[in-house]
Structures are given as structure tokens and as C-alpha cells.
Amino acid sequence: LVTNVETREPTSLEPSLQPQNRAWSAMSSGFMAYFKRGSEAPAPYLAEELPTVENGKWTVLPDGRMETTYTIKRNATWHDGQPITAQDWVFAYQVRTAPDVPAHNAVVEQRLSKVVAVDDHTLFLEWREPYMYAGYTHLPDFSPMPRHKLETQFLQDRGAFVDGPQWR
């Protein structure tokens, strides 16, 4: 569920590659829907549930760092039917934090110190510092990227990857 949809064409289908106007994204989705219709609380979208201190999936460490664990829904798939996995978030993190990728908007990624795919459906995030939205990141922040489609090009030719037709 995307709110605040812009009426003009985005410069890229990848939110982090847009210098502004980040609210629009047709390519991917996040862990949560911003708000469920008729509810004031955030609701899970690609995650089975949102991390909370109460369910044990959001831990605040004594030094101020935090850890959150997301479980990705087993029926979440990309447009081509391939499963969306925790590795797709790890890949997106690698892309958006690569020094030669012009990620203008990597707000969440800059706050993370570790992103680990525990298995295909479990994503562990270690936060450098407290972040009030750690339990419900949403578009346009920290969305997955289809690793099965993009990783080879990312590893072999960064220029072609950044400027590729997949973003238009």
C-alpha cells in the first residue's frame, strides 16, 4: 500500500537511485504496508509479522545498538514467480552501500552495521544506533532487489548496472 503517490514520472524505478521524489516505487515493496485500511497501526506486508520487543524480534542492546529479525512470507514472489528471499535484502544492502553506486537515498542502510540472511526466510539486521522505525521499515526505504535478476550484472559491470534498462 503506497500513500502519497506522485503524479509525475520517476527518474528511476529504484527508490534509492532517485535524487528526490522517493515516495514512488513500482519495482518493489517493503516489510510492511504503511497502514491497513481502517487501522492506525502498521501492518506486515512481505514480513509474516513486524518485529517488536514483546515478540522477541526487536532487541535493544545495553550499548544502544539494536537487532531486529524479520521473517519473510513464504508465498512472497517477484513478478516472474521467483521467491523473494532474505538474500534479496542482503543484495539490496550491498548495492546501496557500494561506494560506486549513486544511492542518493539509503537512509536505513546507513544505519545498519550488519545484514544477514539466516536462511531464505529469515533476515537479521544489526543497527548501529537506536532507530525508532527499525521494527517497521517501509517504502521507499530498504526494499529488496531481485538478486536472481541483477546480481551478475552488478558484479560484472557496475556502470551498466547503475544505468541499466531495469530501472526505467
Side-chain angles (χ1 to χ4, degrees), residues 46 72-89 120-121 144-149:
L46 292 178
I72 289 78
K73 289 182 179 178
R74 294 189 180 280
N75 64 347
T77 61
W78 291 104
H79 63 285
D80 61 0
Q82 291 295 312
I84 297 174
T85 69
Q87 289 86 357
D88 293 318
W89 272 276
D120 280 351
H121 301 284
M145 288 184 178
R147 182 175 149 242
H148 70 284
K149 292 272 192 194

Side-chain angles (χ1 to χ4, degrees), residues 140-156:
D141 296 323
F142 198 47
S143 56
M145 288 184 178
R147 182 175 149 242
H148 70 284
K149 292 272 192 194
L150 302 175
E151 184 177 46
T152 300
Q153 186 179 42
F154 173 73
L155 295 173
Q156 293 177 355

Side-chain angles (χ1 to χ4, degrees), residues 2-14:
V2 176
T3 60
N4 190 21
V5 175
E6 295 290 333
T7 57
R8 57 188 154 147
E9 290 292 318
T11 57
S12 171
L13 294 179
E14 168 48 34

Side-chain angles (χ1 to χ4, degrees), residues 38-143:
S39 172
E40 294 293 321
Y45 187 67
L46 292 178
E48 287 184 5
E49 64 182 339
L50 299 178
T52 65
V53 171
E54 293 76 25
N55 68 16
K57 294 187 176 192
W58 185 341
T59 305
V60 179
L61 303 172
D63 63 3
R65 292 177 304 116
M66 299 185 318
E67 299 172 343
T68 53
T69 302
Y70 286 89
T71 303
I72 289 78
K73 289 182 179 178
R74 294 189 180 280
N75 64 347
T77 61
W78 291 104
H79 63 285
D80 61 0
Q82 291 295 312
I84 297 174
T85 69
Q87 289 86 357
D88 293 318
W89 272 276
V90 172
F91 173 62
Y93 174 76
Q94 292 168 342
V95 168
R96 293 188 190 113
T97 58
D100 54 347
V101 173
H104 300 282
N105 301 300
V107 174
V108 170
E109 291 84 352
Q110 292 167 359
R111 295 176 182 271
L112 295 167
S113 57
K114 190 185 293 185
V115 177
V116 178
V118 176
D119 58 40
D120 280 351
H121 301 284
T122 308
L123 184 68
F124 171 82
L125 306 176
E126 184 178 278
W127 300 81
R128 297 180 194 281
E129 59 193 13
Y131 182 54
M132 66 186 281
Y133 300 114
Y136 50 97
T137 61
H138 57 82
L139 282 176
D141 296 323
F142 198 47
S143 56

